[in-house]
Amino acid sequence: GDYPDFWMGDNTRPDSAGYQFTPCDAELFGDQVLYWVFNDKGNTHSQTGGAAIGLEIQAQAFAFETNDEINNMTFYHYKIINKSSFKLDSTYFGVWADSDLGSASDDYVGCDVGLGLGYCYNGDLVDDNPPSGQIPYGVNPPAIGIDFFEGPYADLNGIDDAPSTVPASYVGYGDGKVDNERIGMSKFVYYNNGGGFTDDPTAAVDYYNYLRGIWRDGTPMTYGGTGHLTGVACDYMFPGASDPTGFGTNGSAQAPWSEETTGNIPSDRRFLQSAGPFTLKAGAVNTITTGVVWARATQGGNLASVTLMKGADAKAQDLFNN
């Protein structure tokens, strides 16, 4: 069978149409795995209107059968290849989520800078009043998060970068090895399902700007309130108390900021977390691995599930690192 890896294609033999096969090999992960390949040149970009870049992505979704929290997680490994003839600079890899946690109408979002985790949770104690076709969780609703377990490799600089300059989610910093550093979650953005400067992107430049933490009107995300023209420029929206050193605000520590402290009305949230910037030369390969973590507390309400989910995420990160 395929396990533990596979090889598809034979670059010495053309197919019936005369095309050379491209070898495709991968180590397979987990107890169950799905593998697929996609690119951005196969059709019109009807969602963004943007031009094709020329990226191939070899993807794996995998999971483990366990008797602990890992059993409720799924993992995703992406091998990204620049098959264009030009260099991509200021590159970001992003993970986008429209979580719709039970009922989509009453969600909050947030992030944990140290864990490199973006997450969605219920905005009140009971998940109810769902739109048509959605099934609510009721009392003690769960929380769900996405973690960069292994972000993209940073650009080579010939040194072992110091761990004190980045959060713990940045891997390979200060480990005595040169140029093995991986960028963790460097931006976390939320927006609503609707119209306006802080809502759904509509053009290619909007998508790229969201990856960089820039609103649709060209202004940077700012700390506090809605994140739009509210204070100092920031990299992370709703980090709570997870950024005590002010890494996301250029070293200037700020008071904790969350949807609760702002007094937001729960709604249909989307969120995006990205890692960058870095350079992807023509022919270059970079990889990321992300995980989706889910947890539900049996008592204590919506925030108890967030705490439980963060604990499960930290356990998964330790397992991944080992």
Side-chain angles (χ1 to χ4, degrees):
D2 292 333
Y3 185 83
D5 53 24
F6 63 83
W7 174 274
M8 293 191 301
D10 178 359
N11 64 351
T12 65
R13 178 174 59 84
D15 66 11
S16 59
Y19 294 105
Q20 290 290 115
F21 287 109
T22 299
C24 179
D25 65 300
E27 178 186 359
L28 299 178
F29 305 122
D31 294 321
Q32 272 195 339
V33 61
L34 301 172
Y35 182 86
W36 71 104
V37 180
F38 59 102
N39 65 71
D40 75 325
K41 299 197 74 170
N43 211 324
T44 303
H45 291 190
S46 57
Q47 184 72 25
T48 67
I53 295 173
L55 295 179
E56 176 177 296
I57 301 177
Q58 300 175 11
Q60 286 190 57
F62 58 100
F64 298 92
E65 184 178 17
T66 70
N67 59 3
D68 62 6
E69 303 95 327
I70 308 298
N71 198 66
N72 287 329
M73 302 179 190
T74 54
F75 303 88
Y76 305 85
H77 179 75
Y78 301 99
K79 180 179 179 181
I80 298 98
I81 308 168
N82 182 3
K83 292 203 168 182
S84 74
S85 59
F86 51 85
K87 177 181 70 175
L88 299 173
D89 53 32
S90 303
T91 307
Y92 289 81
F93 289 162
V95 179
W96 175 87
D98 181 14
S99 339
D100 291 350
L101 191 68
S103 168
S105 63
D106 58 356
D107 291 343
Y108 272 166
V109 296
C111 72
D112 189 298
V113 176
L115 291 174
L117 176 73
Y119 56 87
C120 175
Y121 59 108
N122 214 64
D124 49 29
L125 295 176
V126 180
D127 182 43
D128 55 9
N129 299 320
S132 176
Q134 297 180 350
I135 302 174
Y137 281 103
V139 297
N140 296 309
I144 190 167
I146 300 177
D147 190 336
F148 274 106
F149 288 118
E150 185 178 62
Y153 282 109
D155 288 346
L156 306 181
N157 61 7
I159 62 173
D160 176 25
D161 293 289
S164 60
T165 61
V166 294
S169 62
Y170 283 60
V171 177
Y173 288 73
D175 63 354
K177 300 178 182 178
V178 173
D179 288 335
N180 70 328
E181 294 85 1
R182 288 181 174 269
I183 305 170
M185 180 180 73
S186 48
K187 305 285 183 182
F188 177 83
V189 184
Y190 97 102
Y191 60 90
N192 291 308
N193 180 5
F197 290 139
T198 61
D199 297 317
D200 290 303
T202 59
V205 67
D206 299 335
Y207 287 82
Y208 182 58
N209 279 341
Y210 271 170
L211 288 167
R212 299 190 298 153
I214 298 174
W215 294 118
R216 288 177 53 197
D217 62 355
T219 60
M221 290 189 306
T222 53
Y223 202 90
T226 63
H228 184 244
L229 302 178
T230 54
V232 299
C234 70
D235 294 327
Y236 306 105
M237 300 199 65
F238 306 131
S242 70
D243 189 19
T245 65
F247 176 77
T249 48
N250 198 29
S252 175
Q254 306 291 316
W257 174 36
S258 67
E259 296 237 47
E260 291 91 350
T261 60
T262 300
N264 287 343
I265 298 173
S267 186
D268 186 359
R269 300 281 195 266
R270 285 88 187 271
F271 70 83
L272 168 74
Q273 58 207 97
S274 63
F278 60 93
T279 302
L280 194 65
K281 296 180 179 179
V285 176
N286 212 322
T287 60
I288 60 172
T289 304
T290 65
V292 177
V293 185
W294 182 95
R296 186 177 189 179
T298 57
Q299 60 183 358
N302 53 341
L303 296 181
S305 291
V306 173
T307 301
L308 196 64
M309 183 267 299
K310 287 187 177 184
D313 178 67
K315 180 176 181 177
Q317 182 72 65
D318 287 342
L319 177 66
F320 185 86
N321 291 346
N322 290 328

